[in-house]
């Protein structure tokens, strides 16, 4: 008999009827009229270009093999567990090294545990990996109740690590995961060995809103900051919808696979503009596996609800009194000047390559930085 704190073994097995339904919906897609001249598949100036979206949707329908991807995902141990009434899905990859360090990996939106497929084999010599899906994401959907925001989620992760037998552990996060890992470390500095954040230059767009503008910036730096904030602001439409109208966008994402495809894939371009299209930056099958996961679990809607809950929760900006490392991709000097003006991070790496999804774009660089940071704490 399973207790409320049980770790229940889990395997992904999407019903064939759901796969057939996806193919049927894709075959009957109703496409928008395009503005004349919008025939360049790499022109993302107004969002995802329809020619590129049609190309990707056709491959999703006729070329993409979900069952093959499902089998790859099932190569790793998975379980579900219930914390405070919410079901969490967790991938657990044990190292053969008995002295390996437990490492909690956390993604953001529109990612999933699929992000870490290429990173996992690069880390298992030194780390036991724990990859939970946040409330409302993937197989941690649907939300069990309102009130699931970043602080409550961080506490749930601490309980999951306890259930796994890990008293102390390392933590890494990107995007939403940086906030959750930071809250976890701030609340439990005796348990978190150190926090490592993966970021990119667009994080500067949060300066002046979520983070204060530091003193001492030169006129040139302030001008650069204004330009980078304006660039980031042009990409905030999705955030405003998810923060304030998740029910509205959720209905569209749950009913239309092409809508879900466009909503997610466009962000893989906006967060890495150095590539002509998203599939020039990340593997096409891995990208579509991530999109498929959102589709099959209906987590386009429920993941947006986590954003709403977090936006309407009290702000908790407690800082963790644990060693902190940063790896910044598509780096710019202004990132450290604004995000760490006190040089509090004990480890900082700037990489010209990559972008918002380093585990997919530059897994070797990210793995090397994780190893270097946590080795330095031994």
């Amino acid at each position: 008999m399973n207790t409320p704190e049980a770790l229940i073994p889990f395997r992904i097995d999407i019903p064939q009827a759901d796969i057939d339904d996806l193919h049927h919906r894709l075959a009957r897609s109703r496409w928008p009229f395009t503005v004349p001249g919008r025939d360049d598949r790499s022109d993302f100036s107004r969002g995802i270009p329809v020619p590129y979206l049609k190309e990707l949707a056709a491959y999703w329908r006729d070329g993409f093999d979900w069952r093959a991807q499902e089998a790859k995902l099932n190569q790793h141990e998975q379980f579900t567990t219930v914390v405070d009434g919410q079901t969490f899905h967790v991938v657990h990859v044990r190292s053969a090294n008995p002295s390996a360090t437990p490492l909690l990996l956390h993604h953001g939106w529109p990612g999933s545990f699929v992000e870490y497929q290429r990173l996992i084999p690069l880390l298992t010599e030194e780390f036991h990996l724990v990859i939970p899906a946040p409330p409302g994401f993937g197989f941690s959907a649907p939300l069990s109740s309102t009130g699931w925001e970043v602080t409550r989620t961080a506490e749930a992760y601490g309980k999951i690590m306890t259930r796994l037998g890990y008293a102390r552990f390392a933590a890494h996060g990107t995007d939403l995961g940086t906030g959750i890992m930071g809250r976890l470390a701030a609340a439990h500095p005796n348990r978190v060995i150190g926090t490592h954040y993966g970021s990119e230059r667009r994080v500067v767009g949060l300066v002046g809103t979520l983070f204060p503008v530091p003193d001492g910036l030169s006129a040139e730096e302030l001008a650069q900051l204004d330009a980078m904030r304006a660039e980031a602001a042009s990409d905030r439409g999705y955030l405003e919808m998810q923060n304030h109208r998740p029910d509205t966008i959720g209905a569209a994402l749950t009913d239309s696979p092409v809508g879900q495809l466009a909503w997610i894939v466009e962000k893989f371009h906006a967060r890495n503009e150095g590539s002509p299209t998203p599939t020039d930056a990340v593997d096409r099958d891995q990208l579509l596996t991530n999109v498929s996961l959102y589709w099959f679990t209906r987590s386009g809607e429920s993941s947006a609800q986590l954003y709403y809950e977090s936006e309407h929760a009290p702000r908790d900006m407690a800082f963790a009194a644990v060693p902190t490392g940063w790896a910044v991709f598509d780096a710019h000097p202004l990132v450290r000047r604004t995000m760490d003006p006190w040089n509090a991070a004990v480890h900082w790496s700037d990489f010209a390559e990559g972008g918002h999804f380093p585990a997919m774009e530059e897994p070797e660089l990210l793995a090397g930085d994780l190893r270097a940071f946590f080795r330095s704490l031994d």
Side-chain angles (χ1 to χ4, degrees):
M1 181 176 180
N2 291 324
T3 67
E5 296 185 357
L7 303 174
I8 302 169
F10 181 86
R11 282 183 64 81
I12 306 169
D13 186 14
I14 299 300
Q16 186 60 43
D18 289 357
I19 299 173
D20 293 341
D21 176 67
L22 169 61
H23 292 164
H24 178 71
R25 289 171 183 261
L26 288 169
R28 299 187 69 247
S29 297
R30 186 168 181 251
W31 297 98
F33 296 120
T34 57
V35 175
R38 288 276 295 158
D39 54 359
D40 182 351
R41 63 188 293 278
S42 62
D43 180 4
F44 281 74
S45 59
R46 300 188 183 203
I48 191 166
V50 171
Y52 177 69
L53 184 60
K54 284 184 175 181
E55 173 188 312
L56 203 54
Y59 178 75
W60 194 16
R61 182 185 70 238
D62 298 326
F64 175 74
D65 185 347
W66 166 258
R67 290 299 186 203
Q69 300 303 317
E70 185 179 71
K72 291 180 182 179
L73 297 176
N74 280 329
Q75 291 174 357
H76 301 300
E77 178 188 11
Q78 302 165 68
F79 61 84
T80 59
T81 192
V82 178
V83 181
D84 196 15
Q86 173 66 43
T87 295
F88 285 84
H89 171 256
V90 183
V91 176
H92 187 207
V93 185
R94 305 171 194 264
S95 173
N97 178 3
S99 61
T101 299
L103 173 59
L104 182 61
L105 297 172
H106 197 284
H107 60 82
W109 185 91
S112 68
F113 66 93
V114 173
E115 273 187 57
Y116 294 110
Q117 280 182 293
R118 298 174 63 198
L119 186 69
I120 287 171
L122 303 176
L123 293 177
T124 49
E125 286 189 10
E126 296 187 31
F127 300 99
H128 302 298
L129 303 178
V130 180
I131 312 171
F137 283 65
F139 297 106
S140 293
L143 283 179
S144 63
S145 66
T146 59
W148 277 103
E149 37 68 55
V150 292
T151 300
R152 188 179 180 187
T153 301
E155 286 297 323
Y157 289 168
K159 293 177 181 178
I160 290 170
M161 296 302 279
T162 298
R163 293 177 189 182
L164 284 168
Y166 297 135
R168 282 178 55 76
F169 51 89
H172 163 77
T174 60
D175 190 71
L176 178 71
T178 63
I180 294 175
M181 294 300 96
R183 302 279 199 303
L184 179 57
H188 302 283
N190 59 318
R191 299 191 63 190
V192 179
I193 297 167
T195 53
H196 183 277
Y197 301 134
S199 189
E200 38 86 35
R201 63 191 296 151
R202 278 179 176 259
V203 72
V204 173
L206 299 175
V207 176
T209 54
L210 192 58
F211 300 100
V213 178
D215 296 330
L217 294 182
S218 67
E220 181 181 357
E221 287 174 327
L222 287 170
Q224 291 177 341
L225 176 60
D226 287 343
M228 294 172 74
R229 290 176 59 193
E231 180 185 13
S234 69
D235 185 41
R236 291 180 59 86
Y238 84 93
L239 188 61
E240 296 305 318
M241 284 296 294
Q242 296 193 164
N243 280 352
H244 301 288
R245 296 293 185 270
D247 288 352
T248 301
I249 191 60
L253 299 179
T254 303
D255 189 60
S256 169
V258 167
Q260 180 70 87
L261 181 68
W263 192 247
I264 288 179
V265 172
E266 193 270 339
K267 292 295 159 246
F268 276 79
H269 181 267
R271 310 294 175 80
N272 188 335
E273 295 182 350
S275 300
T277 70
T279 43
D280 291 303
V282 300
D283 178 79
R284 179 173 61 174
D285 280 350
Q286 189 181 15
L287 177 58
L288 288 174
T289 301
N290 181 63
V291 175
S292 298
L293 182 66
Y294 274 82
W295 175 256
F296 289 134
T297 60
R298 305 190 190 193
S299 53
E301 187 274 340
S302 55
S303 62
Q305 298 292 348
L306 179 62
Y307 275 72
Y308 179 93
E309 297 293 340
S310 299
E311 174 68 13
H312 293 83
R315 296 283 184 182
D316 178 6
M317 296 302 292
F319 290 94
V322 303
T324 300
W326 282 67
V328 183
F329 296 82
D330 187 25
H332 188 284
L334 203 56
V335 177
R336 186 160 201 182
R337 287 282 288 125
T338 55
M339 302 303 294
D340 184 28
W342 313 278
N343 291 323
V346 300
H347 173 95
W348 191 283
S349 299
D350 287 324
F351 299 105
E353 302 85 352
H356 193 75
F357 304 93
M360 295 176 72
E361 299 157 338
E362 299 292 342
E364 291 83 5
L365 290 179
L366 178 57
D369 205 71
L370 283 164
R371 290 192 296 266
F373 172 57
F374 287 112
R375 283 175 185 171
S376 73
L377 305 183
D378 290 342

